[in-house]
Amino acid sequence: MEGDDVVTLTIDRPERRNALDHGTLDELAAGVQRATDGGARVIVLTGAGGHFCAGADLTTLEDAGFATVLREVLDLFSSVPIVTIAAIDGAALGGGTQLAISCDLRVSTSGARFGIPASKLGLMVDAQTVQRLVALTGASTARGMLLAAETIDGETAHRIGFVHRIGGLDDALAWAAEIAALAPLTIAGHKLALERLAPPPEADPLIAEAFARAWRSSDVAEGQRAFRERRPPRFEGR
């Protein structure tokens, strides 16, 4: 849905709980670009069918190339000179949490669930995700999410300051309309300053090797098989 000042982008794969594949990432990138080029002042990102985004679509996930494309889309949400708001309900897991933390603001229902279940799948998220998750949730909560695959609900996320407001899509759109009436150059400047406070971490060869090792491991294939077969994975660390 598009208006003069506020554009709503909807991840529309409800049959997969809005899980991300390459096509969906391409559509999101194109939508952000259209909104920005068209003069929108706020983008609201949401999901269809009662879920925000359940992460990567494991039925199509092939290699770390997906993570590279995902990073490009995440960077787009955080770098455009207009406000991006995530309106979250239901599952916001893995790539869903990554999308939420790449937006400037978050509105969530109390029952939404945030988490990074990569350790249940043999995957690894990038260093930028770790940095941003720590900045927004706090180091202790981030450790629980990254190391123990813990999830937090919308109420908890709001209490710790990760979610700005409790509400649904209508509440996010109402807030977006208020923000759209504010001075756009001021917002663009403030967003730029906020983003430059925490530039992406410098390339670390140890992290890069750990990332590559995880993505090329047998555990990744086992995680996908277990997901398809609906059974607990049997990871071997190789």
Side-chain angles (χ1 to χ4, degrees), residues 30-77:
V32 172
Q33 200 60 59
R34 281 196 308 272
T36 307
D37 293 345
R41 295 189 176 186
V42 184
I43 294 172
V44 176
L45 176 65
T46 191
H51 290 287
F52 182 67
C53 171
D57 188 340
L58 297 182
T59 65
T60 63
L61 188 65
E62 295 178 354
D63 54 35
F66 175 85
T68 300
V69 177
L70 175 59
R71 171 45 52 195
E72 293 171 355
V73 174
L74 299 176
D75 289 343
L76 190 58
F77 275 94

Short mmCIF file of all heavy atoms in Angstrom, two decimals, residues 30-77:
data_model
loop_
_atom_site.label_atom_id
_atom_site.label_comp_id
_atom_site.label_asym_id
_atom_site.label_seq_id
_atom_site.Cartn_x
_atom_site.Cartn_y
_atom_site.Cartn_z
N ALA A 30 13.53 -3.61 -3.87
CA ALA A 30 12.87 -2.78 -4.87
C ALA A 30 11.82 -1.88 -4.24
O ALA A 30 11.67 -0.71 -4.62
CB ALA A 30 12.24 -3.67 -5.95
N GLY A 31 11.10 -2.40 -3.25
CA GLY A 31 10.08 -1.60 -2.58
C GLY A 31 10.67 -0.43 -1.81
O GLY A 31 10.13 0.69 -1.84
N VAL A 32 11.76 -0.67 -1.12
CA VAL A 32 12.43 0.42 -0.39
C VAL A 32 12.92 1.49 -1.37
O VAL A 32 12.76 2.70 -1.13
CB VAL A 32 13.61 -0.13 0.44
CG1 VAL A 32 14.42 1.03 1.04
CG2 VAL A 32 13.10 -1.03 1.55
N GLN A 33 13.49 1.05 -2.48
CA GLN A 33 14.00 2.01 -3.45
C GLN A 33 12.89 2.83 -4.07
O GLN A 33 13.01 4.05 -4.24
CB GLN A 33 14.79 1.28 -4.55
CG GLN A 33 15.73 2.17 -5.32
CD GLN A 33 16.78 2.80 -4.44
OE1 GLN A 33 17.56 2.11 -3.79
NE2 GLN A 33 16.80 4.13 -4.39
N ARG A 34 11.77 2.16 -4.41
CA ARG A 34 10.63 2.89 -4.99
C ARG A 34 10.09 3.92 -4.01
O ARG A 34 9.78 5.05 -4.38
CB ARG A 34 9.51 1.91 -5.37
CG ARG A 34 9.71 1.17 -6.67
CD ARG A 34 8.41 0.56 -7.16
NE ARG A 34 7.76 -0.26 -6.14
CZ ARG A 34 8.02 -1.55 -5.95
NH1 ARG A 34 8.91 -2.17 -6.70
NH2 ARG A 34 7.38 -2.23 -5.01
N ALA A 35 9.96 3.52 -2.75
CA ALA A 35 9.43 4.43 -1.74
C ALA A 35 10.33 5.65 -1.58
O ALA A 35 9.86 6.79 -1.52
CB ALA A 35 9.27 3.70 -0.41
N THR A 36 11.62 5.40 -1.51
CA THR A 36 12.57 6.50 -1.33
C THR A 36 12.57 7.42 -2.55
O THR A 36 12.52 8.65 -2.41
CB THR A 36 13.98 5.94 -1.08
OG1 THR A 36 13.94 5.01 0.01
CG2 THR A 36 14.95 7.06 -0.72
N ASP A 37 12.65 6.83 -3.73
CA ASP A 37 12.65 7.63 -4.96
C ASP A 37 11.34 8.38 -5.14
O ASP A 37 11.32 9.46 -5.75
CB ASP A 37 12.90 6.73 -6.18
CG ASP A 37 14.29 6.13 -6.18
OD1 ASP A 37 15.15 6.62 -5.43
OD2 ASP A 37 14.51 5.16 -6.94
N GLY A 38 10.25 7.82 -4.62
CA GLY A 38 8.94 8.44 -4.79
C GLY A 38 8.64 9.53 -3.78
O GLY A 38 7.53 10.09 -3.79
N GLY A 39 9.57 9.82 -2.90
CA GLY A 39 9.37 10.92 -1.95
C GLY A 39 8.70 10.54 -0.66
O GLY A 39 8.28 11.43 0.10
N ALA A 40 8.58 9.24 -0.36
CA ALA A 40 7.99 8.83 0.92
C ALA A 40 8.84 9.34 2.07
O ALA A 40 10.06 9.50 1.94
CB ALA A 40 7.85 7.32 0.98
N ARG A 41 8.21 9.57 3.19
CA ARG A 41 8.93 10.02 4.38
C ARG A 41 9.05 8.92 5.44
O ARG A 41 9.91 9.00 6.32
CB ARG A 41 8.26 11.24 4.98
CG ARG A 41 8.30 12.45 4.05
CD ARG A 41 7.84 13.71 4.74
NE ARG A 41 7.97 14.87 3.88
CZ ARG A 41 7.74 16.11 4.26
NH1 ARG A 41 7.35 16.36 5.51
NH2 ARG A 41 7.89 17.12 3.41
N VAL A 42 8.18 7.92 5.35
CA VAL A 42 8.22 6.81 6.29
C VAL A 42 7.88 5.52 5.55
O VAL A 42 6.96 5.50 4.72
CB VAL A 42 7.23 6.99 7.47
CG1 VAL A 42 7.39 5.85 8.48
CG2 VAL A 42 7.42 8.33 8.15
N ILE A 43 8.62 4.45 5.84
CA ILE A 43 8.29 3.11 5.35
C ILE A 43 7.88 2.28 6.56
O ILE A 43 8.59 2.24 7.57
CB ILE A 43 9.49 2.45 4.66
CG1 ILE A 43 9.85 3.18 3.38
CG2 ILE A 43 9.20 0.98 4.35
CD1 ILE A 43 11.15 2.69 2.74
N VAL A 44 6.75 1.60 6.46
CA VAL A 44 6.31 0.66 7.49
C VAL A 44 6.43 -0.75 6.91
O VAL A 44 5.82 -1.06 5.89
CB VAL A 44 4.85 0.94 7.93
CG1 VAL A 44 4.39 -0.11 8.94
CG2 VAL A 44 4.73 2.34 8.53
N LEU A 45 7.22 -1.57 7.57
CA LEU A 45 7.43 -2.96 7.13
C LEU A 45 6.62 -3.89 8.01
O LEU A 45 6.71 -3.85 9.24
CB LEU A 45 8.91 -3.32 7.22
CG LEU A 45 9.28 -4.77 6.89
CD1 LEU A 45 8.98 -5.09 5.43
CD2 LEU A 45 10.75 -5.05 7.21
N THR A 46 5.82 -4.76 7.38
CA THR A 46 4.98 -5.69 8.14
C THR A 46 4.91 -7.02 7.40
O THR A 46 5.49 -7.18 6.33
CB THR A 46 3.58 -5.08 8.35
OG1 THR A 46 2.85 -5.88 9.30
CG2 THR A 46 2.80 -5.01 7.04
N GLY A 47 4.21 -7.97 7.99
CA GLY A 47 4.04 -9.28 7.38
C GLY A 47 2.58 -9.64 7.29
O GLY A 47 1.75 -9.19 8.09
N ALA A 48 2.24 -10.48 6.32
CA ALA A 48 0.86 -10.89 6.11
C ALA A 48 0.52 -12.12 6.96
O ALA A 48 1.40 -12.89 7.34
CB ALA A 48 0.64 -11.21 4.63
N GLY A 49 -0.76 -12.27 7.27
CA GLY A 49 -1.25 -13.51 7.87
C GLY A 49 -0.86 -13.76 9.30
O GLY A 49 -0.78 -14.92 9.73
N GLY A 50 -0.61 -12.72 10.07
CA GLY A 50 -0.38 -12.91 11.50
C GLY A 50 1.05 -13.15 11.92
O GLY A 50 1.31 -13.41 13.10
N HIS A 51 1.99 -13.10 10.97
CA HIS A 51 3.40 -13.23 11.32
C HIS A 51 4.20 -12.14 10.61
O HIS A 51 3.85 -11.73 9.50
CB HIS A 51 3.95 -14.60 10.92
CG HIS A 51 3.42 -15.72 11.75
ND1 HIS A 51 3.82 -15.93 13.05
CD2 HIS A 51 2.50 -16.69 11.46
CE1 HIS A 51 3.19 -16.99 13.54
NE2 HIS A 51 2.38 -17.46 12.60
N PHE A 52 5.27 -11.71 11.27
CA PHE A 52 6.17 -10.73 10.66
C PHE A 52 7.09 -11.43 9.67
O PHE A 52 6.99 -11.22 8.46
CB PHE A 52 6.98 -10.02 11.75
CG PHE A 52 7.90 -8.95 11.23
CD1 PHE A 52 7.40 -7.79 10.66
CD2 PHE A 52 9.27 -9.09 11.34
CE1 PHE A 52 8.25 -6.80 10.17
CE2 PHE A 52 10.14 -8.11 10.88
CZ PHE A 52 9.62 -6.97 10.29
N CYS A 53 7.95 -12.30 10.16
CA CYS A 53 8.85 -13.06 9.28
C CYS A 53 9.52 -14.15 10.11
O CYS A 53 10.14 -13.86 11.14
CB CYS A 53 9.90 -12.13 8.67
SG CYS A 53 11.21 -13.00 7.79
N ALA A 54 9.41 -15.39 9.64
CA ALA A 54 9.95 -16.54 10.38
C ALA A 54 11.39 -16.84 10.02
O ALA A 54 11.90 -17.91 10.37
CB ALA A 54 9.08 -17.76 10.14
N GLY A 55 12.07 -15.93 9.33
CA GLY A 55 13.47 -16.14 9.01
C GLY A 55 13.69 -16.60 7.58
O GLY A 55 12.85 -16.37 6.71
N ALA A 56 14.81 -17.24 7.34
CA ALA A 56 15.13 -17.74 6.00
C ALA A 56 14.24 -18.95 5.68
O ALA A 56 13.93 -19.76 6.56
CB ALA A 56 16.59 -18.14 5.92
N ASP A 57 13.86 -19.05 4.42
CA ASP A 57 13.10 -20.21 3.97
C ASP A 57 14.08 -21.37 3.80
O ASP A 57 14.84 -21.43 2.83
CB ASP A 57 12.40 -19.89 2.64
CG ASP A 57 11.45 -20.99 2.23
OD1 ASP A 57 11.59 -22.13 2.72
OD2 ASP A 57 10.55 -20.72 1.40
N LEU A 58 14.05 -22.30 4.73
CA LEU A 58 15.03 -23.39 4.72
C LEU A 58 14.80 -24.38 3.59
O LEU A 58 15.68 -25.20 3.30
CB LEU A 58 15.00 -24.13 6.06
CG LEU A 58 15.39 -23.31 7.28
CD1 LEU A 58 15.37 -24.17 8.53
CD2 LEU A 58 16.77 -22.68 7.09
N THR A 59 13.66 -24.29 2.92
CA THR A 59 13.43 -25.18 1.78
C THR A 59 14.16 -24.70 0.53
O THR A 59 14.29 -25.45 -0.43
CB THR A 59 11.93 -25.30 1.47
OG1 THR A 59 11.42 -24.02 1.05
CG2 THR A 59 11.15 -25.77 2.69
N THR A 60 14.62 -23.45 0.55
CA THR A 60 15.33 -22.91 -0.62
C THR A 60 16.75 -22.45 -0.28
O THR A 60 17.51 -22.10 -1.18
CB THR A 60 14.56 -21.70 -1.21
OG1 THR A 60 14.51 -20.64 -0.24
CG2 THR A 60 13.14 -22.10 -1.59
N LEU A 61 17.10 -22.46 1.01
CA LEU A 61 18.42 -21.99 1.43
C LEU A 61 19.50 -22.91 0.89
O LEU A 61 19.45 -24.13 1.06
CB LEU A 61 18.49 -21.95 2.95
CG LEU A 61 19.73 -21.31 3.56
CD1 LEU A 61 19.78 -19.84 3.22
CD2 LEU A 61 19.71 -21.50 5.08
N GLU A 62 20.51 -22.32 0.22
CA GLU A 62 21.56 -23.12 -0.40
C GLU A 62 22.93 -22.89 0.23
O GLU A 62 23.64 -23.83 0.55
CB GLU A 62 21.62 -22.83 -1.90
CG GLU A 62 20.36 -23.26 -2.65
CD GLU A 62 20.42 -22.92 -4.11
OE1 GLU A 62 21.39 -22.26 -4.53
OE2 GLU A 62 19.50 -23.32 -4.86
N ASP A 63 23.34 -21.62 0.37
CA ASP A 63 24.67 -21.36 0.88
C ASP A 63 24.71 -19.96 1.47
O ASP A 63 23.69 -19.29 1.60
CB ASP A 63 25.72 -21.51 -0.23
CG ASP A 63 25.39 -20.67 -1.46
OD1 ASP A 63 24.85 -19.55 -1.29
OD2 ASP A 63 25.65 -21.13 -2.58
N ALA A 64 25.93 -19.52 1.83
CA ALA A 64 26.09 -18.21 2.47
C ALA A 64 25.77 -17.06 1.53
O ALA A 64 25.71 -15.91 1.98
CB ALA A 64 27.51 -18.07 3.01
N GLY A 65 25.57 -17.33 0.23
CA GLY A 65 25.16 -16.26 -0.68
C GLY A 65 23.86 -15.62 -0.25
O GLY A 65 23.64 -14.42 -0.46
N PHE A 66 22.98 -16.41 0.38
CA PHE A 66 21.73 -15.85 0.90
C PHE A 66 22.02 -14.79 1.96
O PHE A 66 21.41 -13.73 1.97
CB PHE A 66 20.86 -16.95 1.48
CG PHE A 66 19.60 -16.44 2.15
CD1 PHE A 66 18.46 -16.19 1.41
CD2 PHE A 66 19.58 -16.18 3.51
CE1 PHE A 66 17.31 -15.71 2.02
CE2 PHE A 66 18.44 -15.69 4.13
CZ PHE A 66 17.30 -15.46 3.37
N ALA A 67 22.96 -15.10 2.85
CA ALA A 67 23.30 -14.15 3.92
C ALA A 67 23.86 -12.86 3.35
O ALA A 67 23.63 -11.78 3.91
CB ALA A 67 24.31 -14.78 4.88
N THR A 68 24.58 -12.95 2.24
CA THR A 68 25.13 -11.75 1.60
C THR A 68 24.02 -10.86 1.06
O THR A 68 24.03 -9.64 1.25
CB THR A 68 26.09 -12.15 0.47
OG1 THR A 68 27.15 -12.93 1.01
CG2 THR A 68 26.66 -10.92 -0.23
N VAL A 69 23.05 -11.48 0.39
CA VAL A 69 21.92 -10.71 -0.15
C VAL A 69 21.08 -10.13 0.98
O VAL A 69 20.64 -8.97 0.92
CB VAL A 69 21.06 -11.60 -1.07
CG1 VAL A 69 19.84 -10.82 -1.57
CG2 VAL A 69 21.88 -12.11 -2.25
N LEU A 70 20.86 -10.92 2.02
CA LEU A 70 20.11 -10.43 3.17
C LEU A 70 20.79 -9.22 3.78
O LEU A 70 20.15 -8.22 4.11
CB LEU A 70 19.98 -11.54 4.23
CG LEU A 70 19.33 -11.15 5.55
CD1 LEU A 70 17.92 -10.62 5.35
CD2 LEU A 70 19.34 -12.33 6.52
N ARG A 71 22.12 -9.26 3.92
CA ARG A 71 22.84 -8.12 4.49
C ARG A 71 22.64 -6.87 3.65
O ARG A 71 22.48 -5.77 4.20
CB ARG A 71 24.33 -8.49 4.60
CG ARG A 71 25.29 -7.36 4.97
CD ARG A 71 24.84 -6.47 6.10
NE ARG A 71 24.46 -7.21 7.30
CZ ARG A 71 23.77 -6.67 8.29
NH1 ARG A 71 23.36 -5.40 8.23
NH2 ARG A 71 23.44 -7.38 9.36
N GLU A 72 22.62 -7.00 2.34
CA GLU A 72 22.40 -5.84 1.47
C GLU A 72 21.03 -5.22 1.73
O GLU A 72 20.89 -3.99 1.77
CB GLU A 72 22.53 -6.26 0.00
CG GLU A 72 23.94 -6.67 -0.40
CD GLU A 72 24.01 -7.27 -1.78
OE1 GLU A 72 22.94 -7.47 -2.40
OE2 GLU A 72 25.13 -7.56 -2.24
N VAL A 73 20.01 -6.06 1.92
CA VAL A 73 18.67 -5.54 2.20
C VAL A 73 18.61 -4.91 3.58
O VAL A 73 18.02 -3.83 3.76
CB VAL A 73 17.62 -6.67 2.06
CG1 VAL A 73 16.24 -6.18 2.47
CG2 VAL A 73 17.59 -7.19 0.63
N LEU A 74 19.22 -5.54 4.57
CA LEU A 74 19.25 -4.97 5.92
C LEU A 74 19.92 -3.60 5.93
O LEU A 74 19.43 -2.65 6.56
CB LEU A 74 19.99 -5.91 6.87
CG LEU A 74 19.40 -7.32 7.05
CD1 LEU A 74 20.31 -8.16 7.94
CD2 LEU A 74 18.00 -7.26 7.62
N ASP A 75 21.03 -3.49 5.22
CA ASP A 75 21.73 -2.22 5.15
C ASP A 75 20.89 -1.14 4.47
O ASP A 75 20.98 0.04 4.81
CB ASP A 75 23.05 -2.38 4.40
CG ASP A 75 24.10 -3.16 5.19
OD1 ASP A 75 23.92 -3.28 6.42
OD2 ASP A 75 25.07 -3.64 4.59
N LEU A 76 20.06 -1.56 3.53
CA LEU A 76 19.20 -0.60 2.83
C LEU A 76 18.19 0.01 3.79
O LEU A 76 17.98 1.23 3.80
CB LEU A 76 18.50 -1.31 1.66
CG LEU A 76 17.73 -0.45 0.67
CD1 LEU A 76 18.64 0.58 0.02
CD2 LEU A 76 17.09 -1.35 -0.40
N PHE A 77 17.57 -0.81 4.63
CA PHE A 77 16.60 -0.29 5.59
C PHE A 77 17.25 0.68 6.58
O PHE A 77 16.64 1.67 6.98
CB PHE A 77 15.93 -1.44 6.36
CG PHE A 77 14.76 -2.04 5.65
CD1 PHE A 77 14.92 -3.15 4.85
CD2 PHE A 77 13.50 -1.49 5.78
CE1 PHE A 77 13.84 -3.72 4.19
CE2 PHE A 77 12.40 -2.04 5.13
CZ PHE A 77 12.58 -3.16 4.32
#
